Amino acid sequence: MAISVVIADDQDMVRAGFRMILESQPDIEVLADVVDGEAALLAVEEHRPDVLLLDIRMPRLDGLEVTRRLSGRETPHIVIVTTFDLDEYVHAALHGGASGFLLKDASPAMLVEAVRAAAVGDSLVSPAITVRLLREMATRAPAAAAARRPAEPLTEREVDVVRCLARGMTNAEIAAQLYVSLSTVKTHLANVQTKLGARNRVEIAAWAWESGLAASTK
């Protein structure tokens, strides 16, 4: 079954470009493209997409508010795609429940990869900002990390997986780094997500930096 997508961006050319890129893929279907946050919420209610591509700065409701209102739902998984490489936007979006964050100058292949990752509950953040923004989270929100304690201690292998994740590695890269199978990586991340009460892998990575786990060594 094709991955269903709604695009929300106030720039006509951006929406058209994203639609063209995504519809060139046999496993992705664009159900609608809309011009603002209010229309995005209506499109989500009407179409129930798997993934919502969402700009931040839009009329009526911005992308951060849309993300907040949709937080907690199983779908759609939200990928923020924006021109603005500002840490406060990234921080707010990912802590608000977004599954990914891309800059609009990302390659078409990365856009497609982000949609596919979000559809299966993974996430992708532009490599140019991944580690930088997570380090920034560590310095700006130590209180949040202190407040979030795992329900159970992480195992040694779970810690290894989380450290790799926090450094921007994909599941496949983590599997290769630790010499384990892809399914093993996914199992470890699912266990960590449960222990932390995290909504997605991005929150796991943020917690790793905020708690100092990502910066520490064995």
Side-chain angles (χ1 to χ4, degrees), residues 45-86:
E45 289 299 321
E46 179 181 356
H47 297 289
R48 304 288 180 177
D50 299 313
V51 177
L52 173 61
L53 284 184
L54 192 60
D55 190 16
I56 287 183
R57 291 189 179 178
M58 295 185 295
R60 299 205 286 176
L61 279 183
D62 66 27
L64 298 179
E65 178 61 18
V66 172
T67 300
R68 188 190 67 78
R69 294 192 186 188
L70 294 175
S71 177
R73 299 192 187 187
E74 290 188 9
T75 56
H77 300 290
I78 296 172
V79 177
I80 299 290
V81 188
T82 182
T83 305
F84 303 101
D85 181 11
L86 299 177

Side-chain angles (χ1 to χ4, degrees), residues 85-142:
D85 181 11
L86 299 177
D87 286 340
E88 57 265 33
Y89 284 163
V90 182
H91 187 278
L94 299 183
H95 274 295
S99 296
F101 194 102
L102 294 179
L103 300 179
K104 286 182 180 176
D105 61 0
S107 68
M110 185 169 291
L111 177 66
V112 171
E113 184 181 352
V115 168
R116 288 176 176 153
V120 297
D122 286 343
S123 60
L124 187 151
V125 178
S126 286
I129 59 176
T130 301
V131 174
R132 176 178 59 77
L133 77 90
L134 291 172
R135 283 200 184 108
E136 182 69 11
M137 288 179 182
T139 61
R140 292 172 60 176

